[in-house]
Amino acid sequence: MEKNTVHKKSIRYISKYVSPIGTLTISADDNALTGLWISGQKNFGSTLAGYECIEQDNTIINAAHKWLDEYFAGEYPQTAIEVKLEGTDFQVKVWNVLRNIPYGCTATYSDIAQAIDCKSARAVGNAIGKNPISIIVPCHRVIGTNGKLTGYAGGIDAKSALLKLEGKE
């Protein structure tokens, strides 16, 4: 006798957060943060395809709101948030290096390339540009070799504001 199997579509919980750099969209599953995008950001919602999206907070989204409250108050966030990085192996490798750039510090694209033994800072830059978890996975802390602010999916003004908030600019 065959069992009738019901396939449950995976869910992403979605929430908005009003920040000094614009409205942020946060996504999470039941276990981890899966996305955080600045309004108008390139690759907005890149990890939401194929999921049922429900506008509802959960414990992960509540933790993200608390983290963002601390961050935008100019504090080093103490709230721990589990993140789920969804991308190619290379992208995830790059994004994990970003997570190790300390608050208030910067690194260059070349530094990141060197950290993962990659010969192409451009490939690293492309991966960084597709980071689905802005701010918490701090791609805004990556600058050009000459010390200048370069591309940021959320816009150079947002990058500058985030670095200024961290006392870097």
Side-chain angles (χ1 to χ4, degrees), residues 25-81:
T25 300
I26 304 166
S27 73
D29 61 19
D30 288 322
N31 304 305
L33 187 71
T34 59
L36 193 157
W37 301 275
I38 300 165
S39 183
Q41 178 176 334
K42 294 176 187 171
N43 302 308
F44 181 89
S46 57
T47 60
L48 298 177
Y51 292 96
E52 178 183 351
C53 296
I54 299 172
E55 287 195 39
Q56 176 183 318
D57 291 354
N58 66 4
T59 56
I60 302 297
I61 287 185
N62 290 337
H65 279 259
K66 185 171 190 235
W67 191 101
L68 291 164
D69 287 344
E70 293 167 2
Y71 181 82
F72 286 114
E75 304 166 9
Y76 177 80
Q78 300 299 312
T79 302
I81 300 174

Side-chain angles (χ1 to χ4, degrees), residues 145-168:
T145 305
N146 60 3
K148 296 201 181 211
L149 301 187
T150 58
Y152 184 60
I156 292 293
D157 289 345
K159 183 174 193 167
S160 177
L162 295 170
L163 290 172
K164 188 179 231 176
L165 179 72
E166 293 182 19
K168 191 61 187 167

Side-chain angles (χ1 to χ4, degrees), residues 74-151:
E75 304 166 9
Y76 177 80
Q78 300 299 312
T79 302
I81 300 174
E82 185 68 32
V83 299
K84 181 191 287 183
L85 296 171
E86 299 172 304
T88 67
D89 290 346
F90 179 76
Q91 289 170 334
V92 170
K93 188 186 284 191
V94 170
W95 300 335
N96 277 321
V97 173
L98 299 179
R99 295 176 72 191
N100 293 319
I101 303 171
Y103 179 95
C105 296
T106 57
T108 67
Y109 294 93
S110 295
D111 293 336
I112 307 296
Q114 197 170 26
I116 62 169
D117 198 27
C118 174
K119 293 182 183 0
S120 174
R122 184 178 301 270
V124 165
N126 287 334
I128 290 171
K130 292 183 174 121
N131 172 19
I133 304 178
S134 294
I135 305 169
I136 292 174
V137 176
C139 49
H140 63 278
R141 295 181 187 150
V142 182
I143 60 174
T145 305
N146 60 3
K148 296 201 181 211
L149 301 187
T150 58

